[in-house]
Amino acid sequence: MRIWAFTALKMVVLPVAIVLALGQFFDNRILLAVCLAAIATPAGNVLALLASMYNEAAYPTAIKGITLTTIVSVATMPLVYYLTGLD
């Protein structure tokens, strides 16, 4: 259950909050869209590599997180784009 909460936070809440906050300082929509793309992307595979090197017990959780964020990004990236008003 915690992994779902983390995924919602990482894939929706933080990207929307950060892009809306940056929008207060920048009016360049392309810059904001690039920031959104960088923030809203799924977790990278480096997490699993680091987990396998430094904490073997965390490796299965890292793999679940990578898989879940990758799968839900199909829906969350367009959603976040729409919620930030960049369309």
Side-chain angles (χ1 to χ4, degrees), residues 1 4 8 10 12-14 24 31 50 53 65 78 86-87:
M1 187 66 179
W4 282 96
K10 187 223 181 297
V12 178
V13 176
L14 288 177
Q24 300 299 313
L31 176 64
L50 292 174
M53 289 174 54
L86 292 175
D87 56 344

Side-chain angles (χ1 to χ4, degrees), residues 19 22 28-41 81 86:
V19 170
L22 288 175
N28 186 335
R29 296 174 73 85
I30 295 173
L31 176 64
L32 292 173
V34 169
C35 290
L36 176 68
I39 298 166
T41 53
Y81 182 76
L86 292 175

